[in-house]
Amino acid sequence: KAGVTQTPRYLIKTRGQQVTLSCSPISGHRSVSWYQQTPGQGLQFLFEYFSETQRNKGNFPGRFSGRQFSNSRSEMNVSTLELGDSALYLCASSLPSGGLNNEQFFGPGTRLTVL
Amino acid sequence: GENVEQHPSTLSVQEGDSAVIKCTYSDSASNYFPWYKQELGKGPQLIIDIRSNVGEKKDQRIAVTLNKTAKHFSLHITETQPEDSAVYFCAASDGTSYGKLTFGQGTILTVHP
């Protein structure tokens, strides 16, 4: 079974631009979570989607948004990029039950650099 | 909200030795505790997890223990090998927050051959 895939793997943007990252979960998984990983703050939860609905959101500004499609693929968008948004953005998918505390399986991440 | 503290931040061992990484959590409602291994250029890989109704779980050379009273859990790796070298993260989930794991700051494990 194929793992979680994320595209693109690397992105370079300039301040003020916006960016869209994509995540395809493991086949049959319906829950997708997004995390931001930086050296200073570590791994921080952004949001979670299940059946096209955002069920949970972390403490990030409204510039960070996401969505999920009917095939469970998910995208996240960051508008008006700031230097501090440079990070590895990770997507994780969970078992199909959509319940609480299911194992999360991570993709390789998208490395975003903001200049 | 939940807070997870992880120690040590770096750990260096000789091949064949054991390695222990410890985490404490703040929210007594947390009931799911996974451990992840992250190699350079890759995403975190789930290596073992434990739920609050279990005190210990083992998978070959890896074991995790949980002390709910003290609110801490530990990862034990025996007979370490150079390929165990990576960054290890502990995490906790409170069981009421969909899809949210709260992570520790990570431990850089180096196994010297």
Side-chain angles (χ1 to χ4, degrees):
Chain A
K1 200 180 248 190
V4 177
T5 58
Q6 293 187 244
T7 56
R9 292 294 311 279
Y10 302 91
L11 264 179
I12 300 176
K13 293 286 186 178
T14 56
R15 280 179 297 174
Q17 287 187 311
Q18 67 98 25
V19 67
T20 300
L21 313 180
S22 180
C23 170
S24 292
I26 293 170
S27 178
H29 285 198
R30 295 168 60 194
S31 171
V32 173
S33 296
W34 287 90
Y35 293 83
Q36 180 195 65
Q37 185 176 26
T38 60
Q41 298 299 315
L43 280 148
Q44 292 187 292
F45 172 77
L46 282 157
F47 28 64
E48 188 261 5
Y49 286 87
F50 175 75
S51 290
E52 303 178 64
T53 300
Q54 184 184 90
R55 296 193 299 184
N56 201 2
K57 189 177 191 302
N59 296 323
F60 279 82
R63 300 185 297 106
F64 292 81
S65 63
R67 59 177 175 169
Q68 187 181 35
F69 302 93
S70 58
N71 62 358
S72 295
R73 190 177 70 84
S74 178
E75 290 181 347
M76 66 163 284
N77 183 278
V78 188
S79 62
T80 319
L81 284 166
E82 300 177 359
L83 295 178
D85 296 334
S86 294
L88 181 67
Y89 289 90
L90 292 158
C91 163
S93 74
S94 296
L95 292 169
S97 70
L100 294 163
N101 289 343
N102 290 319
E103 294 90 335
Q104 293 189 22
F105 300 92
F106 283 83
T110 294
R111 172 73 62 185
L112 172 64
T113 302
V114 182
L115 302 176
Chain B
E2 175 66 279
N3 183 52
V4 177
E5 298 286 335
Q6 182 172 344
H7 299 280
S9 56
T10 61
L11 180 58
S12 183
V13 300
Q14 289 296 128
E15 183 177 1
D17 288 350
S18 295
V20 179
I21 302 171
K22 299 181 179 182
C23 289
T24 59
Y25 61 97
S26 61
D27 189 350
S28 56
S30 288
N31 56 15
Y32 175 62
F33 307 92
W35 285 88
Y36 287 87
K37 173 185 181 182
Q38 187 173 25
E39 297 174 289
L40 204 60
K42 297 184 178 181
Q45 174 194 2
L46 179 66
I47 57 173
I48 196 167
D49 57 12
I50 192 167
R51 299 182 188 273
S52 60
N53 58 345
V54 174
E56 183 174 1
K57 185 176 178 180
K58 190 174 181 180
D59 182 5
Q60 299 183 348
R61 297 186 296 110
I62 295 173
V64 58
T65 59
L66 171 64
N67 184 325
K68 283 188 63 181
T69 303
K71 288 191 284 188
H72 68 69
F73 56 113
S74 300
L75 177 71
H76 304 253
I77 305 174
T78 59
E79 301 172 21
T80 54
Q81 302 166 2
E83 50 266 38
D84 294 329
S85 297
V87 182
Y88 290 81
F89 293 95
C90 63
S93 176
D94 65 10
T96 64
S97 188
Y98 287 109
K100 180 180 179 181
L101 293 173
T102 301
F103 284 85
Q105 287 298 309
T107 296
I108 302 172
L109 173 63
T110 304
V111 180
H112 299 281

